[in-house]
Structures are given as structure tokens and as C-alpha cells.
Amino acid sequence: MDAGDRLAQQVEAMRQMLAEAEPASLRASYLADPSAGNPVLQGSTATALVPRWNERPSGLLVPASYQEPAPIDLAVAFLTPDEIFGSELSAGYTGRQLQRVPVEGALRSCAMVLNALAVPGASAAAVDKGFVDLVFSEPVRSRVLNLLKDKNRRLLVPQAFMLLARMAMETSPDTLPEGTQEGDVVGALFALTQTMGVFPDSGPSIIGDRPGTVGRELIANQHFNHNWSVAGFLARYARRWLQLPAEHQGESGIVDLGQAYRDCTGIEFEFLAAVAGYLWMVTTSGRFVIEPGELTVLDIPAEQVEAVLALISTDLPGMRGAIRSERPEQRTEWSFDPFQRWPVLRLPEDRLLILDPRHLLNRAFGWLPILDIKFPPPQRTKPVGHRKLAGQAESTLRHLSEVYVSEVLHKITGDEGATRRVYDDAELKAAYTAQGQRIADSAIDYPGAWIVIEVTTSQLRREAATAVPGESQIEDIDKLLDELDQIDATIAALRRDEAALTGTPATSVRRYLPLLVLPEGFPVNPVTLTVIRERARTRGLLQAPDTDPVEIVDIEELEMIEGVQEESGPSMLDILRSKQFGSLRNAAVRDHIFHVMRLHPSRPGRQSDLLEAALKPLADALPRPPQDQPRQEQA
């Protein structure tokens, strides 16, 4: 075959590929001109609507134009004063203005926004728009609304409102002298945002085994802005504080948390829940100031109401004193300890102000009531054996938090009856009894894989959570490495003799996925996850070829996965594995679920009864509506 014949053959092959499926009447009617980036469908001259496809690790084909989000896409940029007003505000503007703003007025301004943002289901974008309509006039109003059309821009910074409240307590007077023009509280707020997060030395730009200055700020930022689902938060309170202590009564080391609270504080635990629950309920209706005498509607002894308020509230002089007594070296743009200890402020004339409902919920329904047991009110005589009781109470809460995690894992896997998927601490210890053997808390058996889980109730210390310069964050991370050591040792035991646990030899090659569960939360982001994995690598932990990178979840993320299972969605192994191949593999699991998998799991069904149990003290204390009177029969 000569060159001409070969060319003719190639042309015919191209014609068949591009135009064989075309009707004969059209084959000579027009010419198709395929160009780069616009391929045609095989067998025709029709341009492909989706020109290229990419295959994901799961085998799913997606358009090449689809771009998964990167971690930077999850960040929100706040508007700056020069964008809002057209120029920067002068140095010291905030302080000068607050000197002419009554402290109560400044606190009310902060509470108005913080309460609006904390309403369950609130839209930050809607709160931004409402604020713009309230405080700005033209042309600033239109300028800001146009800027906020970018979905990655925000106006109101919760941290700035907390800083403004802190500064107002130090700077603002109780009242203004007659004839004094009131200061610009809105300008004072945005002048703060102009200087927040500005540091002379941002530290290294490459993430290694230390977070650096920027990483330290990122950890504090994520810790401060982390929002729990209120329903899930209250459901966990009901299970850990109310139900599980009764169910495990009599076990070694377990104490009745409600009784311990009463012995140490003199307050009935359900009255704390009722008073705090009522105050929080009021904030959900848009009010953040409780008028004098309003709490008398509760069917609770007046002395108990006052005792609760004495624990969770303070007056303005008391808050001023607490803020001014803070050590300067421990104070950062993220430290708001007095507001978290006393989330309710007593205003003049016996009114109560809730600055941020998130602090109120955590004060009464989170971990903080343990501190009331450990550090009773000064006027309260400590019970005999107080130190031992306080230690037992904290140990009980930690243990029951781990029990709760185990319950969620069993719900996720449907591990009921004869089906065995989750092996807990007791089974693992019974299977692997060698001297010095370290054991994780749980292991889940999936086809071809094990998820090996360690649960730790460790939390970031105050210094680490508020970005105090120093070694606190590294020290807290290193505590987590001790937990990874237990996972690593358990994986080695499973690899060596899986049948000792399951009773059946492994039928296929196994992979191992280490999972660290921190029920109280941990800021998972590209900085912390990289630092943890790098420090684990340095110690030689979890480095075997059959072991996946460690993942970290909190209890709410586990409950999201539980909700996904109830909706017949992907398994926990599928979710964690797909994250490791996704664009947000170095972000939190919730980010992968929401933004890559595009799932929005419903609340687990079991939480409905738990939420009712959490709110029962409030329901019992509220006045009952009058019964409907039977209608008289007509004569």
C-alpha cells in the first residue's frame, strides 16, 4: 500500500468516526470544525455538551469542569472599614468612641447581633443584611449590600463584638455627662476589625510539625467560632448528665452527677437546667434582656433561682473587676473567660442581659458544671471528702462520654443481635492480653478494613484555645499522640492475630484506618492535621503501608454519620476513605460531608426523646396553660 492509499484509508476512518451516524442528506451540507476544548461525540459532528470527564477513586465519573472546593474556599473574608466607608479609620478610634458610649448601650449593641447569630437555623447573611438596613444610610448601605453579594464575604464578626464588649467594660462610663454627644459605637466596632489579627511576625509559611503564629491563630479562630447543633448539644447533655449516671449506678467509680452537684453547690441540678433553659428560650424569640421579676413565672423556689443566678451571672462592677484582673500575658484577642464564666449580666434595676447564648448553653449544659463541683461557691461549705468527690464526678463524666461514643458507633454500624461489627474495649482487652499491650477503645470490622478508634475527652487548655504565645498548643497535640500510640499498638495486634478477637482468621488483605474521637471537639484544619500527622511520623506511629492517615472527629460529626446511615447513605468507612482522596482531605470531616459529598444529614431519630428529656426540667417549671373548659350543652 502506497502513501496515497494509506492517507485515503486514514481519511475514511476519520469520516466514519466523525460522521458515519449523520443522515446522508446532511453529510455534504456543512463542515464541522472541531477545535481545542470543543470535542465532538464519536460518530457525529455534534459538539459534546460535557467535553471531558474525570474518574474519582470511587469509580464515579464527573465532568472535568466540576471543581471540588479547596480548604481556602471554606474561609470567609470580612469587609474592612475602607471597603465600607471608603477610607480607614484613625488609630485609637475605638477607644475614643467608647469613652462616650454608655456601657449598657455598648453591651446591648453587641448582644443584639450575637443573639441574632445564635438563633438555631439563623442565616449569617440575613443577619448581615438586617444590620445594614438598621445602621447604614445611603450611599454606604448600597455599597455594603453590593459587596455582600459575594457569598464569601461577611460583615459581622462575632469575635469583634466580644472584643467590643470587653473594651466597653474597661472604657465606657455608666452614664454620660449631660450635654455630651454619644460616641459612634458602629464605627468603634469596625475600627476594631481593622487591626484584629495583625501581627509583626506571621511565622513560617510552610506547615511542618509546629503550628507557628498563623497556625496558632487559626486554631483559636476555629475553636471560638465552632458552633454545635443546639438540639444535639442538649441531647448529649441529657444522655451524659442525666440518664447514663443512673444506668451505671453502682459501678466502680461512678457517682450520681446530679447529687454531686447538689452536695457541692446547694443547687438542684434540674433547677440550673430550668433557669438557664428559660433564659436561652427567651433569646430564641429575639429578646436578650430579661425584665425584673420575669423568672418568678417558674415553679422553682425563689432562693434556688437566686442561687443559680449567683453562679451564672455577675453585675457590671463585678465583670469590670474580673476583666481588669486578667493577667496581660494571658490575654489575647480570643480570651473572654469572664463572659464565659458569667454569661448573664445583671444590669441596673434588676434586669438581666444575655450577651451570647452560646456561652449560656455551655455554662449550664456542657462541661462547665463540673467546675461548679470542683470549685463550689465561696459561701458554700464544701462537703466532707470534697476533693475525692470532685475527682470522681469528673472521672464519671469522662467515662460516660466514652460510653456515649460507643453507643453512637453501635448505632452507625447497626451492630445489634448476632451481628458483630463493633468490638469495644472489654473485647479487645480480653483478646490481647500480652504484658504491656496497649489497647484502643474500639475497633470496627468492615470488609477488607478495620477502623481502629481511640476516644479521649481531652480538651484544648485555655492557653491553647486562645492563642497565648508559647508551647501550649504543641503540648496539647502531643497528648493526642499518646492516644495514637494505643491505636498503633492495637493495629499491630490485629495484624498479628485477628482471630484472637473475631474467632475467624482474616479472609483477605486488611487495611487499617486510625480514628481519633474527641467528644468535646478539636479544631481540625490543614495546620493541625498536618502537625499531628508529621509529629506521628517522627515518632514512627501509624506509618505501615497498610495503614491510612489518621482522621479526627468530634461527637457531632459521628452523629452526622449516624444520620447519614439512617438515610441509607454511605458507610462510615466510605465517608472517611473518600475524604482521604478528596480536595478537603486535610480539613474537618464535616467539611467533606457538606462541601464535597454535598450531604446534609438529618438529626438522628433517637435525639428527639433525648431533647425532650433535656428540656423536661424547664417544661416542669413553666406554668401550665389553663385547661379548656367544657362547653355547656345548649338547652
Side-chain angles (χ1 to χ4, degrees), residues 408-619:
V408 176
L409 292 175
H410 283 271
K411 288 290 185 181
I412 287 174
T413 60
D415 193 9
E416 299 174 355
T419 304
R420 168 57 63 137
R421 295 283 298 282
V422 180
Y423 295 86
D424 290 316
D425 173 82
E427 288 90 2
L428 287 165
K429 286 181 177 177
Y432 304 112
T433 59
Q435 184 71 25
Q437 172 72 55
R438 304 197 71 191
I439 290 297
D441 288 315
S442 298
I444 305 180
D445 183 4
Y446 281 96
W450 283 94
I451 298 180
V452 183
I453 301 164
E454 179 66 17
V455 183
T456 174
T457 53
S458 295
Q459 303 175 50
L460 287 178
R461 287 174 297 166
R462 180 205 172 277
E463 293 83 1
T466 58
V468 173
E471 295 295 305
S472 59
Q473 290 184 342
I474 282 296
E475 290 168 359
D476 283 356
I477 287 173
D478 280 346
K479 289 179 183 177
L480 300 183
L481 295 187
D482 294 336
E483 312 296 336
L484 296 187
D485 187 26
Q486 294 186 220
I487 295 178
D488 192 63
T490 304
I491 290 175
L494 285 167
R495 189 187 290 122
R496 184 175 59 251
D497 185 11
E498 180 179 309
L501 178 66
T502 64
T504 306
T507 58
S508 61
V509 177
R510 292 280 201 165
R511 289 199 62 81
Y512 303 92
L513 196 156
L515 182 65
L516 193 57
V517 180
L518 284 85
E520 304 309 311
F522 182 82
V524 177
N525 55 59
V527 173
T528 56
L529 210 49
T530 299
V531 169
I532 288 170
R533 288 171 175 171
E534 184 63 21
R535 293 180 81 83
R537 185 190 65 79
T538 301
R539 291 196 186 185
L541 298 175
L542 308 174
Q543 300 304 302
D546 61 0
T547 304
D548 295 331
V550 63
E551 294 291 349
I552 300 176
V553 298
D554 60 33
I555 188 59
E556 188 154 279
E557 287 166 330
L558 279 186
E559 290 172 332
M560 289 179 188
I561 296 174
E562 181 186 354
V564 170
Q565 300 307 291
E566 290 186 359
E567 296 168 348
S568 302
S571 71
M572 180 162 74
L573 180 64
D574 289 337
I575 290 172
L576 297 178
R577 279 276 174 79
S578 67
K579 175 182 181 289
Q580 299 201 337
F581 291 101
S583 61
L584 297 181
R585 55 188 170 275
N586 289 329
V589 168
R590 71 183 64 217
D591 295 327
H592 176 73
I593 291 174
F594 291 149
H595 301 290
V596 176
M597 302 186 77
R598 299 179 185 272
L599 297 176
H600 298 280
S602 301
R603 179 158 46 94
R606 64 181 175 78
Q607 286 189 354
S608 295
D609 290 341
L610 291 175
L611 183 58
E612 183 176 340
L615 296 176
K616 186 177 185 301
L618 174 59

Side-chain angles (χ1 to χ4, degrees), residues 194-416:
Q194 192 171 272
T195 57
M196 284 165 48
V198 177
F199 301 95
D201 177 19
S202 60
S205 56
I206 298 176
I207 303 172
D209 64 350
R210 306 183 73 81
T213 304
V214 172
R216 187 167 59 235
E217 286 292 305
L218 184 59
I219 290 170
N221 186 318
Q222 194 170 347
H223 178 83
F224 173 82
N225 288 296
H226 180 70
N227 286 319
W228 298 99
S229 155
V230 172
F233 190 84
L234 293 175
R236 289 187 290 276
Y237 157 79
R239 192 73 184 128
R240 295 191 304 176
W241 281 91
L242 306 180
Q243 296 180 351
L244 284 174
E247 293 173 15
H248 290 259
Q249 186 177 11
E251 293 183 12
S252 176
I254 299 296
V255 298
D256 183 329
L257 293 176
Q259 181 66 48
Y261 195 86
R262 179 166 55 253
D263 291 344
C264 294
T265 67
I267 297 172
E268 299 290 339
F269 200 49
E270 60 267 27
F271 293 161
L272 171 68
V275 172
Y278 180 82
L279 296 175
W280 170 76
M281 181 182 68
V282 169
T283 69
T284 65
S285 67
R287 288 196 297 129
F288 50 85
V289 174
I290 311 300
E291 296 302 323
E294 189 170 337
L295 288 172
T296 58
V297 302
L298 297 176
D299 186 17
I300 296 175
E303 65 274 11
Q304 284 283 299
V305 173
E306 186 52 40
V308 171
L309 291 178
L311 272 183
I312 67 174
S313 72
T314 188
D315 57 17
L316 299 184
M319 182 60 74
R320 278 198 182 99
I323 290 173
R324 289 170 177 168
S325 66
E326 292 180 296
R327 291 185 294 167
E329 69 274 13
Q330 293 289 310
R331 198 179 201 195
T332 70
E333 292 180 345
W334 302 101
S335 54
F336 308 109
D337 298 26
F339 292 110
Q340 293 164 344
R341 181 179 178 184
W342 298 295
V344 181
L345 284 169
R346 293 178 183 255
L347 300 177
E349 301 178 358
D350 294 327
R351 289 165 297 160
L352 304 174
L353 180 141
I354 293 87
L355 184 64
D356 188 337
R358 297 181 308 162
H359 296 155
L360 175 63
L361 283 174
N362 199 43
R363 182 65 179 83
F365 302 102
W367 194 272
L368 292 183
I370 279 290
L371 297 183
D372 295 331
I373 296 175
K374 295 175 70 173
F375 309 104
Q379 69 277 11
R380 176 75 179 175
T381 301
K382 294 180 181 179
V384 175
H386 168 257
R387 179 175 295 182
K388 180 180 179 181
L389 176 61
Q392 288 178 319
E394 184 171 13
S395 176
T396 295
L397 184 58
R398 292 187 184 279
H399 174 67
L400 296 182
S401 295
E402 295 173 1
V403 170
Y404 182 79
V405 170
S406 177
E407 291 181 345
V408 176
L409 292 175
H410 283 271
K411 288 290 185 181
I412 287 174
T413 60
D415 193 9
E416 299 174 355

